[in-house]
Amino acid sequence: IITPVPYPAANAGPDNTICFGQSAQLNASGGSIYSWSPTAFLTAANIPNPVSVNPTNNVRYIVTVRDVLGCPKPVKDTMILIVATIIADAGPRDTSVVIDQPLQLGASGGINYSWTPTTWLNDPSISNPISFPQNDIEYVVRVSNNVGCFDTDSIRVRVFKVKPGLFVPN
């Protein structure tokens, strides 16, 4: 009687997305002996569940799985670890406006936006709200993506309390 031993059922786990500066738990299954490559950022390369510590870029991890049920039969599977980076940009660092004149703010870098303080803003949850500032103010925008990664940036607004028209600095 001959009983064939099947190949291991290698599974590197699902692809995953993390925020820049975070770590990710990898989880392989299907065999007895594991070997991950590349070994960059991994706490260990020969266990089924290493941690990828603070990867700086996307990484395509390949796990080679073997078993101990006969001849070594390596089987590979791949998982992609995507590192999402958010860089908030609220526009120029400083700007100025004459009192009672509108100022269009403009942020970029993500999908979701939240401006604080909300004072004098028409809609603090969009990338380009309009402000009618009455005093000097610094706005901070929190920019995020659908994964939950975020970054902040700010813009200082100086308000000149003169009537609109020709303004000649001294």
Side-chain angles (χ1 to χ4, degrees):
I1 296 173
I2 298 175
T3 306
V5 177
Y7 281 86
N11 183 354
D15 294 347
N16 192 8
T17 301
I18 62 170
C19 300
F20 181 82
Q22 292 182 336
S23 298
Q25 178 76 53
L26 306 183
N27 290 298
S29 62
S32 303
I33 302 168
Y34 299 89
S35 176
W36 290 91
S37 72
T39 59
F41 310 109
L42 294 180
T43 54
N46 60 349
I47 60 175
N49 56 351
V51 175
S52 181
V53 180
N54 299 327
T56 55
N57 294 308
N58 298 345
V59 183
R60 179 183 301 269
Y61 284 113
I62 301 168
V63 64
T64 302
V65 178
R66 293 179 172 85
D67 63 24
V68 291
L69 303 174
C71 299
K73 299 177 232 173
V75 178
K76 298 180 181 200
D77 192 27
T78 301
M79 71 85 59
I80 299 171
L81 183 61
I82 298 169
V83 179
T85 302
I86 296 288
I87 299 174
D89 184 5
R93 182 73 185 128
D94 298 308
T95 193
S96 57
V97 67
V98 175
I99 195 164
D100 293 327
Q101 294 299 302
L103 172 64
Q104 176 102 46
L105 299 173
S108 62
I111 298 171
N112 308 305
Y113 299 89
S114 177
W115 291 89
T116 55
T118 60
T119 310
W120 304 306
L121 294 177
N122 68 329
D123 187 347
S125 63
I126 61 175
S127 66
N128 57 347
I130 296 174
S131 173
F132 283 92
Q134 302 299 303
N135 291 305
D136 294 352
I137 190 167
E138 181 174 8
Y139 287 113
V140 177
V141 63
R142 184 178 194 262
V143 179
S144 63
N145 62 12
N146 288 337
V147 179
C149 307
F150 70 92
D151 189 27
T152 60
D153 194 22
S154 63
I155 182 170
R156 284 187 297 255
V157 179
R158 180 156 186 225
V159 177
F160 290 100
K161 296 184 178 183
V162 296
K163 295 188 183 216
L166 183 60
F167 177 71
V168 180
N170 56 17

